Amino acid sequence: ALWEKALHLSPVGINDDFLMLGGNSLTALRLVARMRARFAHNIDLSMLFSGRTIADIAANLNAASNSAGSSLVPLATTSGSGTALYCLHAGGRSVLGYAPLAQLVRHGGSVVGVQSPGLFSTPPNCMHDMADDYAARILGDSSMRPCSLLGWSFGGLLAIEVAARLHAAGKPGEFVSLLDTDLGWAAH
């Protein structure tokens, strides 16, 4: 009933895909808030995008019943073990804006959103702390796979910082792409 109310759609089955039903970032925020109020679980946006069906979310909750939300949000996985594309959040600290783009990517790898661990709490103190944290998470996630970074707006500045840390750790990326990033701001 929560999904039906959030999506203004009925019926919604346990295997229906949130995005395919017309879900968007605003709907996702409302749905997660309703789910938190109704259930005694730590439900965050990453759960909604890593498992976009009711059945997937239930399985994720069972697998990680007491764990905190992750900064790494799987947005799309294609067959193969190709490059992992990490999409760094914009100023809003969420990766929901990347979801439509991720569904279009067909490169034989995965698309992973990197959102702020402070999305619903206190964010890291500064961009450098964020970059340190995100680089460590990406290094732990990508293992031997090649990786690339994509940053939108503020995320572009983060992508540059994360790329420098990955390079220093011996894992240079295939590419770093910036979308709508004001590089003049970084100089100040």
mmCIF file of all heavy atoms in Angstrom, residues 77-109:
data_model
loop_
_atom_site.group_PDB
_atom_site.id
_atom_site.type_symbol
_atom_site.label_atom_id
_atom_site.label_comp_id
_atom_site.label_asym_id
_atom_site.label_seq_id
_atom_site.Cartn_x
_atom_site.Cartn_y
_atom_site.Cartn_z
ATOM 1 N N THR A 77 23.809 -2.566 -13.433
ATOM 2 C CA THR A 77 24.830 -3.570 -13.668
ATOM 3 C C THR A 77 24.513 -4.254 -14.989
ATOM 4 O O THR A 77 23.380 -4.642 -15.216
ATOM 5 C CB THR A 77 24.849 -4.622 -12.541
ATOM 6 O OG1 THR A 77 25.048 -3.943 -11.299
ATOM 7 C CG2 THR A 77 25.972 -5.616 -12.743
ATOM 8 N N THR A 78 25.508 -4.343 -15.824
ATOM 9 C CA THR A 78 25.336 -5.059 -17.086
ATOM 10 C C THR A 78 26.182 -6.317 -17.031
ATOM 11 O O THR A 78 27.013 -6.475 -16.147
ATOM 12 C CB THR A 78 25.756 -4.187 -18.280
ATOM 13 O OG1 THR A 78 27.120 -3.789 -18.108
ATOM 14 C CG2 THR A 78 24.889 -2.937 -18.387
ATOM 15 N N SER A 79 25.953 -7.206 -17.950
ATOM 16 C CA SER A 79 26.746 -8.436 -17.946
ATOM 17 C C SER A 79 28.192 -8.102 -18.269
ATOM 18 O O SER A 79 28.480 -7.202 -19.042
ATOM 19 C CB SER A 79 26.179 -9.428 -18.959
ATOM 20 O OG SER A 79 26.236 -8.864 -20.254
ATOM 21 N N GLY A 80 29.070 -8.815 -17.663
ATOM 22 C CA GLY A 80 30.489 -8.582 -17.883
ATOM 23 C C GLY A 80 31.154 -8.007 -16.649
ATOM 24 O O GLY A 80 30.507 -7.631 -15.686
ATOM 25 N N SER A 81 32.452 -7.935 -16.697
ATOM 26 C CA SER A 81 33.210 -7.429 -15.555
ATOM 27 C C SER A 81 34.010 -6.211 -15.966
ATOM 28 O O SER A 81 35.133 -6.019 -15.538
ATOM 29 C CB SER A 81 34.131 -8.523 -15.018
ATOM 30 O OG SER A 81 35.006 -8.957 -16.040
ATOM 31 N N GLY A 82 33.424 -5.397 -16.825
ATOM 32 C CA GLY A 82 34.112 -4.224 -17.335
ATOM 33 C C GLY A 82 34.253 -3.123 -16.308
ATOM 34 O O GLY A 82 34.105 -3.322 -15.101
ATOM 35 N N THR A 83 34.507 -1.950 -16.811
ATOM 36 C CA THR A 83 34.755 -0.774 -15.989
ATOM 37 C C THR A 83 33.589 -0.458 -15.068
ATOM 38 O O THR A 83 32.434 -0.524 -15.467
ATOM 39 C CB THR A 83 35.020 0.435 -16.909
ATOM 40 O OG1 THR A 83 36.147 0.148 -17.716
ATOM 41 C CG2 THR A 83 35.283 1.694 -16.099
ATOM 42 N N ALA A 84 33.917 -0.099 -13.860
ATOM 43 C CA ALA A 84 32.914 0.410 -12.923
ATOM 44 C C ALA A 84 32.910 1.928 -13.045
ATOM 45 O O ALA A 84 33.948 2.571 -12.909
ATOM 46 C CB ALA A 84 33.254 -0.011 -11.494
ATOM 47 N N LEU A 85 31.747 2.497 -13.347
ATOM 48 C CA LEU A 85 31.603 3.942 -13.434
ATOM 49 C C LEU A 85 31.017 4.434 -12.123
ATOM 50 O O LEU A 85 29.897 4.066 -11.759
ATOM 51 C CB LEU A 85 30.684 4.324 -14.603
ATOM 52 C CG LEU A 85 30.354 5.819 -14.736
ATOM 53 C CD1 LEU A 85 31.619 6.635 -14.982
ATOM 54 C CD2 LEU A 85 29.336 6.027 -15.843
ATOM 55 N N TYR A 86 31.790 5.245 -11.398
ATOM 56 C CA TYR A 86 31.352 5.789 -10.123
ATOM 57 C C TYR A 86 30.873 7.225 -10.346
ATOM 58 O O TYR A 86 31.636 8.072 -10.816
ATOM 59 C CB TYR A 86 32.485 5.751 -9.093
ATOM 60 C CG TYR A 86 32.826 4.345 -8.687
ATOM 61 C CD1 TYR A 86 33.801 3.626 -9.359
ATOM 62 C CD2 TYR A 86 32.127 3.717 -7.663
ATOM 63 C CE1 TYR A 86 34.095 2.321 -9.010
ATOM 64 C CE2 TYR A 86 32.413 2.416 -7.304
ATOM 65 C CZ TYR A 86 33.400 1.722 -7.988
ATOM 66 O OH TYR A 86 33.674 0.428 -7.632
ATOM 67 N N CYS A 87 29.610 7.481 -10.015
ATOM 68 C CA CYS A 87 28.983 8.788 -10.210
ATOM 69 C C CYS A 87 28.915 9.505 -8.866
ATOM 70 O O CYS A 87 28.177 9.075 -7.972
ATOM 71 C CB CYS A 87 27.576 8.607 -10.779
ATOM 72 S SG CYS A 87 27.521 7.674 -12.326
ATOM 73 N N LEU A 88 29.678 10.588 -8.734
ATOM 74 C CA LEU A 88 29.748 11.308 -7.462
ATOM 75 C C LEU A 88 28.637 12.343 -7.364
ATOM 76 O O LEU A 88 28.352 13.054 -8.322
ATOM 77 C CB LEU A 88 31.120 11.960 -7.302
ATOM 78 C CG LEU A 88 32.186 10.903 -7.017
ATOM 79 C CD1 LEU A 88 32.943 10.552 -8.262
ATOM 80 C CD2 LEU A 88 33.087 11.339 -5.918
ATOM 81 N N HIS A 89 28.035 12.405 -6.183
ATOM 82 C CA HIS A 89 26.863 13.253 -5.955
ATOM 83 C C HIS A 89 27.143 14.728 -6.192
ATOM 84 O O HIS A 89 28.259 15.210 -6.028
ATOM 85 C CB HIS A 89 26.332 13.054 -4.536
ATOM 86 C CG HIS A 89 27.271 13.524 -3.460
ATOM 87 N ND1 HIS A 89 27.382 14.845 -3.103
ATOM 88 C CD2 HIS A 89 28.134 12.847 -2.680
ATOM 89 C CE1 HIS A 89 28.270 14.964 -2.125
ATOM 90 N NE2 HIS A 89 28.743 13.765 -1.856
ATOM 91 N N ALA A 90 26.083 15.429 -6.549
ATOM 92 C CA ALA A 90 26.147 16.884 -6.678
ATOM 93 C C ALA A 90 25.990 17.503 -5.289
ATOM 94 O O ALA A 90 26.084 16.806 -4.275
ATOM 95 C CB ALA A 90 25.045 17.359 -7.625
ATOM 96 N N GLY A 91 25.724 18.773 -5.231
ATOM 97 C CA GLY A 91 25.623 19.479 -3.955
ATOM 98 C C GLY A 91 24.529 18.966 -3.036
ATOM 99 O O GLY A 91 24.613 19.116 -1.829
ATOM 100 N N GLY A 92 23.504 18.322 -3.593
ATOM 101 C CA GLY A 92 22.425 17.800 -2.773
ATOM 102 C C GLY A 92 22.777 16.527 -2.038
ATOM 103 O O GLY A 92 21.986 16.036 -1.238
ATOM 104 N N ARG A 93 23.949 15.968 -2.314
ATOM 105 C CA ARG A 93 24.501 14.794 -1.639
ATOM 106 C C ARG A 93 23.821 13.479 -1.983
ATOM 107 O O ARG A 93 24.121 12.457 -1.417
ATOM 108 C CB ARG A 93 24.541 14.988 -0.120
ATOM 109 C CG ARG A 93 25.347 16.185 0.297
ATOM 110 C CD ARG A 93 25.444 16.313 1.762
ATOM 111 N NE ARG A 93 24.125 16.367 2.375
ATOM 112 C CZ ARG A 93 23.933 16.438 3.669
ATOM 113 N NH1 ARG A 93 24.929 16.460 4.488
ATOM 114 N NH2 ARG A 93 22.708 16.474 4.157
ATOM 115 N N SER A 94 22.849 13.482 -2.897
ATOM 116 C CA SER A 94 22.164 12.260 -3.310
ATOM 117 C C SER A 94 22.563 11.926 -4.741
ATOM 118 O O SER A 94 22.947 12.801 -5.511
ATOM 119 C CB SER A 94 20.645 12.456 -3.231
ATOM 120 O OG SER A 94 19.977 11.374 -3.829
ATOM 121 N N VAL A 95 22.436 10.667 -5.105
ATOM 122 C CA VAL A 95 22.774 10.226 -6.459
ATOM 123 C C VAL A 95 21.542 9.934 -7.304
ATOM 124 O O VAL A 95 21.642 9.387 -8.395
ATOM 125 C CB VAL A 95 23.697 8.980 -6.425
ATOM 126 C CG1 VAL A 95 25.030 9.333 -5.802
ATOM 127 C CG2 VAL A 95 23.028 7.827 -5.697
ATOM 128 N N LEU A 96 20.376 10.311 -6.818
ATOM 129 C CA LEU A 96 19.142 10.000 -7.532
ATOM 130 C C LEU A 96 19.116 10.577 -8.942
ATOM 131 O O LEU A 96 18.536 9.992 -9.843
ATOM 132 C CB LEU A 96 17.940 10.514 -6.749
ATOM 133 C CG LEU A 96 17.706 9.859 -5.399
ATOM 134 C CD1 LEU A 96 16.521 10.511 -4.699
ATOM 135 C CD2 LEU A 96 17.484 8.380 -5.552
ATOM 136 N N GLY A 97 19.754 11.702 -9.157
ATOM 137 C CA GLY A 97 19.777 12.316 -10.481
ATOM 138 C C GLY A 97 20.475 11.477 -11.536
ATOM 139 O O GLY A 97 20.243 11.661 -12.730
ATOM 140 N N TYR A 98 21.307 10.543 -11.110
ATOM 141 C CA TYR A 98 22.017 9.681 -12.055
ATOM 142 C C TYR A 98 21.202 8.462 -12.495
ATOM 143 O O TYR A 98 21.574 7.774 -13.438
ATOM 144 C CB TYR A 98 23.322 9.168 -11.441
ATOM 145 C CG TYR A 98 24.408 10.200 -11.301
ATOM 146 C CD1 TYR A 98 24.833 10.613 -10.049
ATOM 147 C CD2 TYR A 98 25.032 10.742 -12.416
ATOM 148 C CE1 TYR A 98 25.852 11.544 -9.903
ATOM 149 C CE2 TYR A 98 26.048 11.675 -12.279
ATOM 150 C CZ TYR A 98 26.451 12.067 -11.024
ATOM 151 O OH TYR A 98 27.467 12.985 -10.897
ATOM 152 N N ALA A 99 20.133 8.146 -11.805
ATOM 153 C CA ALA A 99 19.389 6.918 -12.084
ATOM 154 C C ALA A 99 18.938 6.803 -13.538
ATOM 155 O O ALA A 99 19.150 5.759 -14.161
ATOM 156 C CB ALA A 99 18.215 6.774 -11.123
ATOM 157 N N PRO A 100 18.345 7.844 -14.140
ATOM 158 C CA PRO A 100 17.938 7.707 -15.547
ATOM 159 C C PRO A 100 19.135 7.486 -16.483
ATOM 160 O O PRO A 100 19.067 6.681 -17.412
ATOM 161 C CB PRO A 100 17.237 9.029 -15.858
ATOM 162 C CG PRO A 100 16.816 9.561 -14.529
ATOM 163 C CD PRO A 100 17.867 9.099 -13.557
ATOM 164 N N LEU A 101 20.236 8.177 -16.226
ATOM 165 C CA LEU A 101 21.441 7.997 -17.041
ATOM 166 C C LEU A 101 21.979 6.576 -16.905
ATOM 167 O O LEU A 101 22.349 5.937 -17.897
ATOM 168 C CB LEU A 101 22.516 9.001 -16.616
ATOM 169 C CG LEU A 101 23.889 8.833 -17.262
ATOM 170 C CD1 LEU A 101 23.819 9.139 -18.749
ATOM 171 C CD2 LEU A 101 24.908 9.721 -16.574
ATOM 172 N N ALA A 102 21.992 6.067 -15.694
ATOM 173 C CA ALA A 102 22.535 4.724 -15.444
ATOM 174 C C ALA A 102 21.771 3.663 -16.226
ATOM 175 O O ALA A 102 22.360 2.674 -16.672
ATOM 176 C CB ALA A 102 22.490 4.412 -13.956
ATOM 177 N N GLN A 103 20.489 3.856 -16.412
ATOM 178 C CA GLN A 103 19.689 2.873 -17.145
ATOM 179 C C GLN A 103 20.033 2.845 -18.627
ATOM 180 O O GLN A 103 19.744 1.873 -19.312
ATOM 181 C CB GLN A 103 18.195 3.164 -16.957
ATOM 182 C CG GLN A 103 17.743 3.067 -15.512
ATOM 183 C CD GLN A 103 18.155 1.755 -14.853
ATOM 184 O OE1 GLN A 103 17.888 0.689 -15.370
ATOM 185 N NE2 GLN A 103 18.824 1.837 -13.719
ATOM 186 N N LEU A 104 20.684 3.886 -19.127
ATOM 187 C CA LEU A 104 21.055 3.963 -20.544
ATOM 188 C C LEU A 104 22.454 3.426 -20.829
ATOM 189 O O LEU A 104 22.810 3.209 -21.978
ATOM 190 C CB LEU A 104 20.962 5.410 -21.026
ATOM 191 C CG LEU A 104 19.586 6.054 -20.923
ATOM 192 C CD1 LEU A 104 19.673 7.540 -21.275
ATOM 193 C CD2 LEU A 104 18.586 5.340 -21.809
ATOM 194 N N VAL A 105 23.249 3.236 -19.807
ATOM 195 C CA VAL A 105 24.642 2.825 -19.980
ATOM 196 C C VAL A 105 24.709 1.335 -20.316
ATOM 197 O O VAL A 105 24.140 0.503 -19.615
ATOM 198 C CB VAL A 105 25.468 3.134 -18.705
ATOM 199 C CG1 VAL A 105 26.871 2.578 -18.819
ATOM 200 C CG2 VAL A 105 25.492 4.634 -18.465
ATOM 201 N N ARG A 106 25.408 1.010 -21.376
ATOM 202 C CA ARG A 106 25.581 -0.379 -21.817
ATOM 203 C C ARG A 106 27.055 -0.605 -22.143
ATOM 204 O O ARG A 106 27.448 -0.659 -23.279
ATOM 205 C CB ARG A 106 24.740 -0.667 -23.060
ATOM 206 C CG ARG A 106 23.276 -0.374 -22.920
ATOM 207 C CD ARG A 106 22.594 -1.479 -22.116
ATOM 208 N NE ARG A 106 21.178 -1.226 -22.024
ATOM 209 C CZ ARG A 106 20.559 -0.776 -20.946
ATOM 210 N NH1 ARG A 106 21.248 -0.528 -19.864
ATOM 211 N NH2 ARG A 106 19.272 -0.575 -20.931
ATOM 212 N N HIS A 107 27.882 -0.699 -21.119
ATOM 213 C CA HIS A 107 29.321 -0.803 -21.353
ATOM 214 C C HIS A 107 29.942 -2.079 -20.790
ATOM 215 O O HIS A 107 31.151 -2.221 -20.785
ATOM 216 C CB HIS A 107 30.030 0.433 -20.797
ATOM 217 C CG HIS A 107 30.063 0.499 -19.298
ATOM 218 N ND1 HIS A 107 28.945 0.767 -18.555
ATOM 219 C CD2 HIS A 107 31.065 0.312 -18.417
ATOM 220 C CE1 HIS A 107 29.260 0.756 -17.273
ATOM 221 N NE2 HIS A 107 30.543 0.485 -17.156
ATOM 222 N N GLY A 108 29.131 -3.014 -20.343
ATOM 223 C CA GLY A 108 29.688 -4.263 -19.837
ATOM 224 C C GLY A 108 30.244 -4.177 -18.432
ATOM 225 O O GLY A 108 30.982 -5.042 -18.003
ATOM 226 N N GLY A 109 29.902 -3.146 -17.714
ATOM 227 C CA GLY A 109 30.375 -2.983 -16.346
ATOM 228 C C GLY A 109 29.232 -2.591 -15.435
ATOM 229 O O GLY A 109 28.094 -2.991 -15.654
#
